[in-house]
Amino acid sequence: MQVTDNISYSIYSGLYEYDSDFQEGNVLVGEQTWLLSIANGYTKFHGYISLVICVCGILTNIVSIVVLNMKELRSSSNFILTLMAICDNITMALYIPQVLLFYVNNGSDSLSQYLSYNKVIYSLVASQLTLASHNASVWLGVSLTIFRFLQSRSRHHIPKRTKNLQTAAVVCTALVISVASSVPNTFANRIEKFILPDNQTIYIVTVNVPAAATNNAHTLVDTNVLLYAIVGKLLPCFLMILFVGALVHSLHKRSRMFSFTTRKRSVMMGRTNRLLYAIVILFLITELPQGALVLLCAFVPGLYENVYIPLGDIFDFFALTNFFVNFILYCIMSSKFRSKVKKLCYKNIFDCYLSCGRNDHADVLQ
């Protein structure tokens, strides 16, 4: 499915299992390899695993949003983390129906039901939205590293207004880039109708080649692949590495050059940035391999069908896990966040207990 792409592997593997000679519309997976066998084995469990991760991820991200917006924790960095949590929740919320439609309780469906028009059209629309939301989350991660780097460069306290302007600038830039890089994918696909030999009607998402590209049928496709690989994956990873490296260098340099008070402030900032380093490492683990593979698919024939598509569900698993793990990182690496979560949980439990107690008392009086 590729959280940010489409439901490709589930659809392609369904067609492959139906008829390994079915090649019309460029939907054949390719020869069955050991990689395809492993992918088929994992796909049986992917739907249920994804549902658990998505539900847990949405709930924990909601807690993160509430806690990060508490008065004591409000800051420019936490505002960016809040936006990231919102984007991740949008991605997971759109992913759940796709999992239910294509992975869970579909074993008895015929191919025409499995690839019905309504299912495929939802998958296509949801894919465009999840691509934009996931790209936004990745680029917000880049904006967070840039913002922290700008903070580290300042020798004095930065006024709140300046911080807000810096935050607005990097966030707006990140959102514009993420949306702009997602637009070509909208025009690169269309839904086509196919009639199978047994008269079943199925619908497949295929490449939409505009009239302007008839001289080279792969122009739009190649542009979309390169944008997805470079702008959506590789460039953000490179920028994260660049600015985190510059941030570490800046903090190290300041700790050696300035006074004890300044060094102490740099050390405190360095401790705060450990959470940023962990977030960046997670992004690199989940995004960099996929971006490199997508880029290779544009130049190596057969790599997309035989490697990328079978690995789609595994890429999804890592991306969804990344959405969920952020909350755990916040709890482990931030004592303030951890204490606020405890306080929030205790408060809700206590309020629920009091509410139940009042209701019980009212029932007795009645």
Side-chain angles (χ1 to χ4, degrees):
M1 194 194 275
Q2 268 87 270
V3 162
T4 58
D5 277 279
N6 49 55
I7 196 77
S8 58
Y9 179 63
S10 183
I11 291 178
Y12 282 73
S13 62
L15 285 169
Y16 181 84
E17 291 173 0
Y18 175 80
D19 184 353
S20 60
D21 295 326
F22 183 76
Q23 301 186 44
E24 188 175 9
N26 297 321
V27 294
L28 185 62
V29 169
E31 61 181 15
Q32 188 163 6
T33 64
W34 62 271
L35 186 62
L36 184 58
S37 300
I38 294 174
N40 274 327
Y42 172 71
T43 299
K44 297 175 183 177
F45 308 99
H46 176 71
Y48 303 98
I49 294 173
S50 298
L51 279 179
V52 173
I53 294 176
C54 285
V55 171
C56 293
I58 289 173
L59 294 177
T60 53
N61 276 340
I62 290 173
V63 174
S64 296
I65 292 168
V66 173
V67 173
L68 291 172
N69 283 278
M70 288 182 174
K71 186 176 181 180
E72 299 86 345
L73 290 177
R74 286 177 190 167
S75 67
S76 297
S77 297
N78 287 348
F79 173 70
I80 297 175
L81 290 177
T82 299
L83 292 179
M84 288 173 61
I86 292 172
C87 291
D88 291 344
N89 268 8
I90 292 173
T91 303
M92 289 186 286
L94 291 169
Y95 193 87
I96 290 176
Q98 295 195 73
V99 169
L100 294 175
L101 288 173
F102 291 98
Y103 288 89
V104 179
N105 296 327
N106 62 357
S108 59
D109 290 347
S110 64
L111 200 59
S112 60
Q113 292 175 314
Y114 183 69
L115 297 177
S116 66
Y117 181 79
N118 290 336
K119 285 186 177 182
V120 175
I121 192 67
Y122 174 81
S123 175
L124 182 60
V125 173
S127 296
Q128 311 311 315
L129 296 176
T130 54
L131 177 64
S133 62
H134 185 64
N135 281 354
S137 180
V138 173
W139 277 99
L140 284 170
V142 175
S143 69
L144 183 61
T145 61
I146 295 174
F147 177 75
R148 297 299 294 180
F149 171 71
L150 293 176
Q151 278 191 312
S152 72
R153 298 283 292 177
S154 175
R155 300 183 183 182
H156 307 287
H157 176 73
I158 303 176
K160 184 176 181 181
R161 183 177 180 181
T162 303
K163 280 187 179 181
N164 291 339
L165 288 174
Q166 289 177 346
T167 306
V170 294
V171 166
C172 288
T173 303
L175 294 178
V176 168
I177 293 174
S178 61
V179 172
S181 64
S182 306
V183 170
N185 193 64
T186 305
F187 301 101
N189 301 288
R190 66 179 176 184
I191 296 178
E192 288 192 0
K193 179 179 177 181
F194 294 93
I195 307 297
L196 299 180
D198 59 358
N199 291 325
Q200 290 191 74
T201 301
I202 63 172
Y203 296 87
I204 300 295
V205 178
T206 60
V207 176
N208 182 23
V209 183
T214 52
N215 292 332
N216 184 359
H218 296 290
T219 299
L220 186 61
V221 184
D222 292 342
T223 301
N224 183 50
V225 169
L226 291 175
L227 272 176
Y228 178 65
I230 296 174
V231 181
K233 302 290 182 182
L234 299 179
L235 181 59
C237 290
F238 171 76
L239 291 176
M240 285 183 190
I241 294 172
L242 178 65
F243 282 101
V244 165
L247 174 61
V248 172
H249 175 73
S250 177
L251 292 175
H252 179 68
K253 185 178 179 180
R254 290 185 62 184
S255 67
R256 296 178 58 185
M257 291 180 60
F258 300 114
S259 64
F260 174 77
T261 303
T262 308
R263 287 200 303 269
K264 185 177 180 181
R265 179 171 173 266
S266 296
V267 171
M268 293 299 293
M269 184 178 287
R271 290 175 180 173
T272 303
N273 286 329
R274 288 176 186 172
L275 177 60
L276 172 63
Y277 304 153
I279 293 172
V280 169
I281 290 171
L282 281 177
F283 268 122
L284 295 178
I285 291 173
T286 57
E287 305 297 331
L288 192 57
Q290 186 177 3
L293 184 57
V294 172
L295 188 62
L296 287 174
C297 288
F299 303 101
V300 181
L303 193 65
Y304 178 78
E305 295 85 355
N306 295 314
V307 178
Y308 184 71
I309 290 177
L311 288 177
D313 290 340
I314 298 174
F315 283 134
D316 277 0
F317 169 76
F318 283 114
L320 293 173
T321 303
N322 187 20
F323 301 157
F324 173 67
V325 168
N326 282 341
F327 172 80
I328 299 175
L329 285 177
Y330 301 160
C331 290
I332 293 175
M333 305 187 72
S334 173
S335 57
K336 274 189 178 181
F337 184 90
R338 189 165 56 247
S339 64
K340 292 300 178 184
V341 170
K342 290 180 182 178
K343 184 177 179 180
L344 180 66
C345 292
Y346 291 154
K347 183 179 182 300
N348 288 337
I349 293 172
F350 185 67
D351 289 345
C352 182
Y353 174 77
L354 290 179
S355 176
C356 291
R358 291 193 191 100
N359 290 337
D360 290 343
H361 185 58
D363 291 338
V364 172
L365 291 177
Q366 291 175 357

